[in-house]
Amino acid sequence: MTAFYLPLGDDRYEPTDFTESPWDPRMQHGGPPAALLAHAMAPGDGQRLTRLSVDFLGPIPRRPLAVEVTPIKPGRLTSLVEARMVIDDKVAVVARGWHIATGPKPSVVTPGEAQPAIPATTDDSMDFFGYGRATDWRGLGGRVLSAEGRGDVWTRVNHPLIAGVDLTGVARTLIVADAANGLSTNFDLHEWLSIPPGMATTFLRPPAGEWVRLAARSDVTEDGIGLCTGDLFDQNGRIAQVTQPLLVRKR
């Protein structure tokens, strides 16, 4: 079994083919780097990640990388941590994560909600690039890529984020969250680019089980800027929300 990243020691990693972007095979998709930086943050005892903001400072080369972590605001109830992905001595990705301490059960808890069944098959495939091949994609409308400004899919990440490390629910969610804009494009991806310079994912809770549903929507303005929003669910209900600004250009 392979993984998205192979550990090289001293917080260095080798990205595998599973990180390959659909825009350029020499570059990484944004989902695996977001998950790797979140993994490196390691919240304190009794805290869990509740919001991760990620800035992609340009295309992310599929080359050996280092991860650097800096505590910004330590705390017993909340903490803020920054992590950076460094490639060829340049910072390629910056992420900040808020962690909040868990506590006693509140007097009111939002109940779960029934989710649509996971389709057995889908009419199209994401196997034309490495990241797409690393995950199962099951479109609720029969197709994964609709080009109608909406996307609704069940996903299952089939490989560890890091070789030798069990895949967590947070990593599973972040690996697919950055796909929201690609799944909800308003146009043909072979003719147009829809590139998010960043993403922000706010967690209610990590998913239970292997499957994560991503229901996304993209809106585009006349001057080539877009906004993508996506809600994420497991089979018991909502787990997170992702938002992305979009740079929309003809190829």
Side-chain angles (χ1 to χ4, degrees):
M1 178 185 294
T2 187
F4 290 87
Y5 295 100
L6 306 178
L8 302 176
D10 297 324
D11 297 320
R12 298 176 62 249
Y13 299 88
E14 174 81 32
T16 71
D17 290 350
F18 288 157
T19 66
E20 181 191 355
S21 165
W23 311 118
D24 186 334
R26 299 168 299 176
M27 303 299 168
Q28 298 185 54
H29 188 279
L36 183 64
L37 293 181
H39 170 84
M41 290 178 180
D45 292 341
Q47 294 188 2
R48 60 179 173 87
L49 180 68
T50 54
R51 185 178 188 274
L52 185 79
S53 60
V54 184
D55 293 310
F56 307 118
L57 305 186
I60 310 166
R62 200 152 55 84
R63 293 174 52 79
L65 60 93
V67 173
E68 301 174 348
V69 179
T70 303
I72 302 297
K73 185 265 179 192
R76 181 175 58 86
L77 295 180
T78 65
S79 60
L80 178 64
V81 180
E82 180 177 282
R84 298 168 297 280
M85 179 174 287
V86 180
I87 303 174
D88 298 332
D89 296 322
K90 296 180 180 179
V91 177
V93 186
V94 178
R96 283 193 169 194
W98 275 106
H99 304 82
I100 297 180
T102 58
K105 182 177 179 179
S107 58
V108 176
V109 175
T110 304
E113 51 189 319
Q115 295 297 303
I118 301 169
T121 60
T122 193
D123 294 337
D124 57 348
S125 172
M126 294 276 278
D127 65 0
F128 59 93
F129 64 110
Y131 169 84
R133 290 192 294 272
T135 300
D136 284 338
W137 307 87
R138 309 285 177 86
L140 289 177
R143 295 187 61 81
V144 176
L145 301 172
S146 66
E148 297 177 352
R150 303 287 188 277
D152 200 341
V153 301
W154 279 104
T155 71
R156 179 175 61 187
V157 178
N158 292 322
H159 303 278
L161 174 66
I162 302 168
V165 178
D166 290 340
L167 184 66
T168 66
V170 166
R172 188 183 300 279
T173 305
L174 290 170
I175 287 171
V176 300
D178 186 59
N181 70 99
L183 298 174
S184 60
T185 54
N186 305 62
F187 31 71
D188 186 344
L189 290 178
H190 295 97
E191 297 182 7
W192 291 82
L193 297 173
S194 175
I195 300 176
M199 61 179 279
T201 305
T202 302
F203 284 88
L204 177 62
R205 57 180 176 84
E210 296 183 331
W211 289 90
V212 173
R213 177 187 169 204
L214 173 55
R217 165 182 175 172
S218 288
D219 298 293
V220 180
T221 63
E222 294 180 353
D223 58 355
I225 295 176
L227 169 64
C228 177
T229 59
D231 291 309
L232 297 116
F233 308 83
D234 62 13
Q235 291 177 289
N236 299 319
R238 192 180 192 201
I239 57 174
Q241 183 178 64
V242 60
T243 59
Q244 300 171 292
L246 302 176
L247 166 70
V248 180
R249 294 292 187 275
K250 198 170 182 63
R251 284 182 179 270

